[in-house]
Amino acid sequence: MRLFYSFLFLFQILLTNVAFASYRTPKTTYMEVVLLCPEWQGNATDFHLAKVFEKIQKQDFNTALDILNEMADRRNATAVALQTFCYIQLDKAIPSSLYEDLKFYAEQKHPAALRLIVELLTRKNCAIDINIESAYRYAELSAEAGDSVPLLMVGYCCLNNPNLSINGVTKKCYTQARAVGSKEACLLEALVLMLGFEEENNNKKSIELLESITDSNYEAQYYLYFLYYNEVSKERAFEHALLYAQAGNIELQCILGTLYIEGVGTAVNLAEGVKWLAKASDSGHPRAMFYMGSLSVVHAKELISAGRYTEAIKVYREAIFSYEISYHSGYHEAAFALWGMYSFIAETKDANKAIYWLLMYERHNPAKVAEEISMLRESFRTTGDTFALEILELYETNKQQAKQE
């Protein structure tokens, strides 16, 4: 059982080493366009603009553009910003005349024009190519006026397209955005330093940045745990996880449960570990649900060893239920666990369900399934496990039938 808990903990640690793939470029909302147009107050009674906002609120961007085009003879910064916003929402090629007007107002440091031109230059849409150098120049102008979002847009673009990053611009963006009060920039600069993006990693500085926002940022709490664990001490990581798990951070509740179970940074305390995993699981944490299922499997095996078969069957069913909820909550590794439950555990063997869950897992990780099956087939032949071999044969048959259909 100790080895099983070690597996749980090591698996959890591997999952903390995340990258930036999930980060997305911020998108400007129509209300932000309004707020970034200082002259809008003077136009508040303009009938045409009022109709434009009404159509935009209803996401009728084509009609909004039609109204704005009728105003071409008296196009001002607000109208240009609104037209650009509609083209972005529709992802339609922006007319060159409109783009020139947008650049004109951006050079005049108009807040909405700056925000929107950076959005265009950092997202390949509206027939405008990504241009980090120009985007960064406009973002700096925007920051001078106190708007840090364009800098975040440039930084996001570089993170998701590392080949476009030039002269350490990603870190510069986050440093400058942080200087004008962006807490999100604080988090992202810490991650840039932690992962060594554009330059050598600097975990000490990452810790300083994350500590400055940790009380109000769940992600900062999570990454700070990771840094404490690897750079400071297991005891400090445990103290941090306990503090913020108690404050309601579900991710750290899950982590805290594994720390108690493994006895990392604290004494082994199975009851506390189960308590925190259950708490995270009850809050909908998919990996915590998976761990609860795995603990139930361990407990069921102990009951079998003690001759308490009826109780063991009940606990196995609880494990299956936890795995199923975990899978349907987005943790796809649970499908592989369910395949194992229906393939190898005598009390729960079911060939049809085993094949079903193997096919479910293959949807998300086909390469791993192909590798596992190749190795398992040889292993089953050696051990003479005819049931498992039968499952693999049925699985192959199902795959062939699916291809033919």
Side-chain angles (χ1 to χ4, degrees), residues 135-176:
Y136 180 55
R137 184 175 70 82
Y138 286 123
E140 284 190 300
L141 293 176
S142 188
E144 290 175 8
D147 184 10
S148 64
V149 174
L151 285 167
L152 295 180
M153 289 177 174
V154 178
Y156 277 125
C157 183
C158 291
L159 285 175
N160 291 318
N161 303 276
N163 58 307
L164 298 177
S165 182
I166 52 173
N167 302 322
V169 70
T170 309
K171 183 176 178 299
K172 288 178 184 177
C173 283
Y174 293 138
T175 301
Q176 290 173 272

Short mmCIF file of all heavy atoms in Angstrom, two decimals, residues 135-176:
data_model
loop_
_atom_site.label_atom_id
_atom_site.label_comp_id
_atom_site.label_asym_id
_atom_site.label_seq_id
_atom_site.Cartn_x
_atom_site.Cartn_y
_atom_site.Cartn_z
N ALA A 135 3.17 45.80 -32.33
CA ALA A 135 2.24 45.62 -31.21
C ALA A 135 2.86 46.09 -29.91
O ALA A 135 2.20 46.75 -29.08
CB ALA A 135 1.81 44.16 -31.11
N TYR A 136 4.11 45.74 -29.70
CA TYR A 136 4.80 46.13 -28.46
C TYR A 136 4.93 47.65 -28.37
O TYR A 136 4.75 48.23 -27.29
CB TYR A 136 6.17 45.45 -28.40
CG TYR A 136 6.96 45.80 -27.15
CD1 TYR A 136 6.44 45.59 -25.88
CD2 TYR A 136 8.24 46.34 -27.26
CE1 TYR A 136 7.15 45.91 -24.73
CE2 TYR A 136 8.97 46.66 -26.12
CZ TYR A 136 8.43 46.45 -24.87
OH TYR A 136 9.15 46.77 -23.74
N ARG A 137 5.22 48.31 -29.48
CA ARG A 137 5.35 49.78 -29.46
C ARG A 137 4.02 50.41 -29.06
O ARG A 137 3.98 51.31 -28.21
CB ARG A 137 5.79 50.28 -30.83
CG ARG A 137 6.04 51.79 -30.88
CD ARG A 137 6.60 52.21 -32.22
NE ARG A 137 5.61 52.11 -33.28
CZ ARG A 137 4.69 53.05 -33.52
NH1 ARG A 137 4.61 54.13 -32.76
NH2 ARG A 137 3.83 52.90 -34.52
N TYR A 138 2.93 49.95 -29.64
CA TYR A 138 1.61 50.49 -29.28
C TYR A 138 1.25 50.14 -27.84
O TYR A 138 0.64 50.95 -27.12
CB TYR A 138 0.54 49.96 -30.22
CG TYR A 138 0.56 50.56 -31.61
CD1 TYR A 138 0.70 49.75 -32.74
CD2 TYR A 138 0.44 51.93 -31.79
CE1 TYR A 138 0.70 50.30 -34.02
CE2 TYR A 138 0.45 52.49 -33.07
CZ TYR A 138 0.59 51.66 -34.18
OH TYR A 138 0.60 52.22 -35.44
N ALA A 139 1.63 48.94 -27.40
CA ALA A 139 1.33 48.52 -26.03
C ALA A 139 2.05 49.40 -25.01
O ALA A 139 1.51 49.73 -23.95
CB ALA A 139 1.72 47.06 -25.83
N GLU A 140 3.28 49.81 -25.34
CA GLU A 140 4.01 50.72 -24.45
C GLU A 140 3.31 52.07 -24.35
O GLU A 140 3.22 52.66 -23.26
CB GLU A 140 5.43 50.91 -24.96
CG GLU A 140 6.35 49.72 -24.69
CD GLU A 140 7.80 50.04 -25.00
OE1 GLU A 140 8.10 50.37 -26.16
OE2 GLU A 140 8.62 49.96 -24.07
N LEU A 141 2.80 52.55 -25.49
CA LEU A 141 2.06 53.81 -25.47
C LEU A 141 0.81 53.69 -24.60
O LEU A 141 0.45 54.61 -23.86
CB LEU A 141 1.65 54.21 -26.89
CG LEU A 141 2.78 54.59 -27.86
CD1 LEU A 141 2.21 54.87 -29.25
CD2 LEU A 141 3.53 55.81 -27.35
N SER A 142 0.16 52.54 -24.69
CA SER A 142 -1.05 52.30 -23.89
C SER A 142 -0.73 52.26 -22.40
O SER A 142 -1.48 52.78 -21.58
CB SER A 142 -1.69 50.99 -24.34
OG SER A 142 -2.95 50.82 -23.74
N ALA A 143 0.41 51.64 -22.07
CA ALA A 143 0.80 51.54 -20.66
C ALA A 143 1.09 52.92 -20.07
O ALA A 143 0.84 53.15 -18.88
CB ALA A 143 2.03 50.65 -20.53
N GLU A 144 1.58 53.81 -20.90
CA GLU A 144 1.84 55.18 -20.42
C GLU A 144 0.56 55.84 -19.94
O GLU A 144 0.58 56.71 -19.06
CB GLU A 144 2.47 56.01 -21.53
CG GLU A 144 3.90 55.60 -21.87
CD GLU A 144 4.44 56.37 -23.07
OE1 GLU A 144 3.76 57.31 -23.54
OE2 GLU A 144 5.55 56.02 -23.54
N ALA A 145 -0.56 55.40 -20.53
CA ALA A 145 -1.87 55.96 -20.13
C ALA A 145 -2.53 55.11 -19.04
O ALA A 145 -3.67 55.37 -18.66
CB ALA A 145 -2.78 56.05 -21.35
N GLY A 146 -1.82 54.08 -18.57
CA GLY A 146 -2.34 53.27 -17.47
C GLY A 146 -3.08 52.01 -17.85
O GLY A 146 -3.62 51.32 -16.98
N ASP A 147 -3.13 51.67 -19.14
CA ASP A 147 -3.81 50.45 -19.59
C ASP A 147 -2.78 49.35 -19.82
O ASP A 147 -2.00 49.41 -20.78
CB ASP A 147 -4.60 50.73 -20.87
CG ASP A 147 -5.41 49.52 -21.34
OD1 ASP A 147 -5.50 48.54 -20.59
OD2 ASP A 147 -5.94 49.58 -22.47
N SER A 148 -2.78 48.33 -18.98
CA SER A 148 -1.78 47.25 -19.06
C SER A 148 -2.21 46.10 -19.97
O SER A 148 -1.40 45.25 -20.32
CB SER A 148 -1.50 46.70 -17.66
OG SER A 148 -2.67 46.09 -17.12
N VAL A 149 -3.49 46.07 -20.37
CA VAL A 149 -4.00 44.93 -21.14
C VAL A 149 -3.25 44.72 -22.46
O VAL A 149 -2.92 43.58 -22.81
CB VAL A 149 -5.51 45.05 -21.36
CG1 VAL A 149 -6.01 43.94 -22.29
CG2 VAL A 149 -6.25 44.97 -20.04
N PRO A 150 -2.96 45.77 -23.24
CA PRO A 150 -2.20 45.54 -24.48
C PRO A 150 -0.85 44.85 -24.24
O PRO A 150 -0.43 44.03 -25.05
CB PRO A 150 -2.03 46.94 -25.05
CG PRO A 150 -3.25 47.67 -24.58
CD PRO A 150 -3.44 47.17 -23.17
N LEU A 151 -0.18 45.19 -23.16
CA LEU A 151 1.08 44.51 -22.84
C LEU A 151 0.84 43.03 -22.57
O LEU A 151 1.63 42.17 -22.99
CB LEU A 151 1.74 45.17 -21.62
CG LEU A 151 2.42 46.52 -21.86
CD1 LEU A 151 2.75 47.20 -20.54
CD2 LEU A 151 3.68 46.37 -22.72
N LEU A 152 -0.27 42.72 -21.88
CA LEU A 152 -0.61 41.32 -21.63
C LEU A 152 -0.91 40.60 -22.94
O LEU A 152 -0.55 39.43 -23.12
CB LEU A 152 -1.83 41.22 -20.71
CG LEU A 152 -1.65 41.73 -19.27
CD1 LEU A 152 -2.95 41.54 -18.49
CD2 LEU A 152 -0.52 41.01 -18.56
N MET A 153 -1.55 41.30 -23.88
CA MET A 153 -1.85 40.70 -25.17
C MET A 153 -0.57 40.31 -25.91
O MET A 153 -0.47 39.21 -26.47
CB MET A 153 -2.65 41.69 -26.04
CG MET A 153 -4.08 41.91 -25.59
SD MET A 153 -4.89 43.15 -26.64
CE MET A 153 -6.58 43.08 -26.02
N VAL A 154 0.41 41.20 -25.89
CA VAL A 154 1.69 40.91 -26.56
C VAL A 154 2.38 39.75 -25.87
O VAL A 154 2.91 38.84 -26.51
CB VAL A 154 2.59 42.16 -26.58
CG1 VAL A 154 3.94 41.82 -27.23
CG2 VAL A 154 1.92 43.30 -27.33
N GLY A 155 2.37 39.78 -24.54
CA GLY A 155 3.00 38.69 -23.78
C GLY A 155 2.35 37.35 -24.06
O GLY A 155 3.04 36.34 -24.28
N TYR A 156 1.04 37.31 -24.05
CA TYR A 156 0.30 36.08 -24.34
C TYR A 156 0.67 35.56 -25.73
O TYR A 156 0.86 34.37 -25.95
CB TYR A 156 -1.20 36.32 -24.30
CG TYR A 156 -1.84 36.27 -22.94
CD1 TYR A 156 -2.58 37.34 -22.45
CD2 TYR A 156 -1.72 35.14 -22.13
CE1 TYR A 156 -3.19 37.29 -21.20
CE2 TYR A 156 -2.33 35.08 -20.90
CZ TYR A 156 -3.06 36.16 -20.43
OH TYR A 156 -3.65 36.10 -19.21
N CYS A 157 0.71 36.48 -26.70
CA CYS A 157 1.02 36.09 -28.07
C CYS A 157 2.39 35.44 -28.15
O CYS A 157 2.58 34.41 -28.82
CB CYS A 157 0.96 37.31 -28.98
SG CYS A 157 1.25 36.94 -30.73
N CYS A 158 3.37 36.00 -27.46
CA CYS A 158 4.73 35.44 -27.47
C CYS A 158 4.78 34.09 -26.77
O CYS A 158 5.49 33.18 -27.22
CB CYS A 158 5.70 36.41 -26.81
SG CYS A 158 5.99 37.92 -27.77
N LEU A 159 4.04 33.96 -25.69
CA LEU A 159 4.03 32.68 -24.96
C LEU A 159 3.46 31.57 -25.84
O LEU A 159 3.95 30.44 -25.83
CB LEU A 159 3.19 32.80 -23.69
CG LEU A 159 3.82 33.57 -22.52
CD1 LEU A 159 2.82 33.69 -21.39
CD2 LEU A 159 5.09 32.89 -22.03
N ASN A 160 2.43 31.88 -26.58
CA ASN A 160 1.79 30.88 -27.42
C ASN A 160 2.47 30.72 -28.78
O ASN A 160 2.17 29.77 -29.51
CB ASN A 160 0.31 31.21 -27.60
CG ASN A 160 -0.47 31.04 -26.31
OD1 ASN A 160 -0.26 30.09 -25.58
ND2 ASN A 160 -1.35 31.98 -26.01
N ASN A 161 3.36 31.65 -29.11
CA ASN A 161 4.14 31.58 -30.35
C ASN A 161 5.59 31.93 -30.04
O ASN A 161 6.06 33.03 -30.40
CB ASN A 161 3.57 32.55 -31.39
CG ASN A 161 2.11 32.32 -31.70
OD1 ASN A 161 1.76 31.48 -32.51
ND2 ASN A 161 1.24 33.06 -31.03
N PRO A 162 6.32 31.04 -29.34
CA PRO A 162 7.68 31.36 -28.88
C PRO A 162 8.61 31.82 -29.99
O PRO A 162 9.52 32.62 -29.73
CB PRO A 162 8.16 30.03 -28.28
CG PRO A 162 6.91 29.29 -27.93
CD PRO A 162 5.92 29.68 -28.98
N ASN A 163 8.39 31.37 -31.20
CA ASN A 163 9.27 31.77 -32.31
C ASN A 163 9.13 33.25 -32.66
O ASN A 163 10.00 33.82 -33.33
CB ASN A 163 8.95 30.93 -33.56
CG ASN A 163 7.50 31.06 -34.00
OD1 ASN A 163 6.59 30.87 -33.19
ND2 ASN A 163 7.28 31.39 -35.26
N LEU A 164 8.05 33.89 -32.16
CA LEU A 164 7.83 35.30 -32.46
C LEU A 164 8.45 36.23 -31.41
O LEU A 164 8.55 37.43 -31.62
CB LEU A 164 6.33 35.61 -32.56
CG LEU A 164 5.56 34.88 -33.67
CD1 LEU A 164 4.09 35.23 -33.58
CD2 LEU A 164 6.11 35.26 -35.03
N SER A 165 8.85 35.65 -30.28
CA SER A 165 9.40 36.47 -29.20
C SER A 165 10.76 37.03 -29.60
O SER A 165 11.64 36.30 -30.06
CB SER A 165 9.52 35.63 -27.93
OG SER A 165 10.01 36.42 -26.87
N ILE A 166 10.94 38.35 -29.44
CA ILE A 166 12.19 38.99 -29.82
C ILE A 166 12.73 39.82 -28.66
O ILE A 166 11.99 40.50 -27.96
CB ILE A 166 12.00 39.90 -31.05
CG1 ILE A 166 10.83 40.87 -30.84
CG2 ILE A 166 11.79 39.07 -32.31
CD1 ILE A 166 10.68 41.90 -31.93
N ASN A 167 14.03 39.73 -28.42
CA ASN A 167 14.72 40.57 -27.44
C ASN A 167 14.07 40.55 -26.06
O ASN A 167 13.93 41.59 -25.41
CB ASN A 167 14.80 42.01 -27.96
CG ASN A 167 15.52 42.12 -29.29
OD1 ASN A 167 16.51 41.41 -29.52
ND2 ASN A 167 15.02 42.96 -30.18
N GLY A 168 13.64 39.38 -25.63
CA GLY A 168 13.07 39.26 -24.29
C GLY A 168 11.81 40.05 -24.09
O GLY A 168 11.49 40.49 -22.97
N VAL A 169 11.02 40.24 -25.18
CA VAL A 169 9.85 41.12 -25.10
C VAL A 169 8.78 40.57 -24.16
O VAL A 169 8.04 41.35 -23.54
CB VAL A 169 9.27 41.36 -26.51
CG1 VAL A 169 8.61 40.11 -27.07
CG2 VAL A 169 8.27 42.51 -26.48
N THR A 170 8.69 39.25 -24.00
CA THR A 170 7.65 38.68 -23.14
C THR A 170 7.83 39.16 -21.70
O THR A 170 6.89 39.68 -21.07
CB THR A 170 7.69 37.15 -23.19
OG1 THR A 170 7.68 36.72 -24.54
CG2 THR A 170 6.50 36.55 -22.45
N LYS A 171 9.04 38.99 -21.18
CA LYS A 171 9.31 39.42 -19.80
C LYS A 171 9.16 40.93 -19.67
O LYS A 171 8.63 41.43 -18.67
CB LYS A 171 10.71 38.98 -19.36
CG LYS A 171 11.03 39.34 -17.91
CD LYS A 171 12.38 38.82 -17.50
CE LYS A 171 12.70 39.21 -16.06
NZ LYS A 171 12.75 40.68 -15.88
N LYS A 172 9.61 41.67 -20.69
CA LYS A 172 9.46 43.13 -20.66
C LYS A 172 7.99 43.52 -20.54
O LYS A 172 7.64 44.43 -19.78
CB LYS A 172 10.05 43.75 -21.93
CG LYS A 172 11.57 43.73 -22.02
CD LYS A 172 12.02 44.34 -23.34
CE LYS A 172 13.52 44.24 -23.53
NZ LYS A 172 13.95 44.78 -24.85
N CYS A 173 7.15 42.83 -21.30
CA CYS A 173 5.72 43.13 -21.26
C CYS A 173 5.16 42.97 -19.86
O CYS A 173 4.44 43.83 -19.35
CB CYS A 173 4.97 42.22 -22.22
SG CYS A 173 5.11 42.70 -23.96
N TYR A 174 5.50 41.84 -19.23
CA TYR A 174 4.94 41.57 -17.91
C TYR A 174 5.54 42.47 -16.84
O TYR A 174 4.84 42.89 -15.92
CB TYR A 174 5.13 40.09 -17.56
CG TYR A 174 4.32 39.18 -18.46
CD1 TYR A 174 4.84 38.00 -18.96
CD2 TYR A 174 3.03 39.53 -18.83
CE1 TYR A 174 4.10 37.18 -19.80
CE2 TYR A 174 2.28 38.73 -19.67
CZ TYR A 174 2.82 37.55 -20.15
OH TYR A 174 2.07 36.76 -20.99
N THR A 175 6.81 42.80 -16.97
CA THR A 175 7.43 43.73 -16.02
C THR A 175 6.77 45.09 -16.11
O THR A 175 6.46 45.72 -15.09
CB THR A 175 8.94 43.85 -16.29
OG1 THR A 175 9.56 42.57 -16.18
CG2 THR A 175 9.60 44.79 -15.28
N GLN A 176 6.55 45.58 -17.34
CA GLN A 176 5.93 46.89 -17.52
C GLN A 176 4.46 46.88 -17.09
O GLN A 176 3.98 47.84 -16.49
CB GLN A 176 6.05 47.33 -18.98
CG GLN A 176 7.48 47.67 -19.39
CD GLN A 176 7.59 47.93 -20.89
OE1 GLN A 176 7.81 47.02 -21.67
NE2 GLN A 176 7.41 49.18 -21.29
#
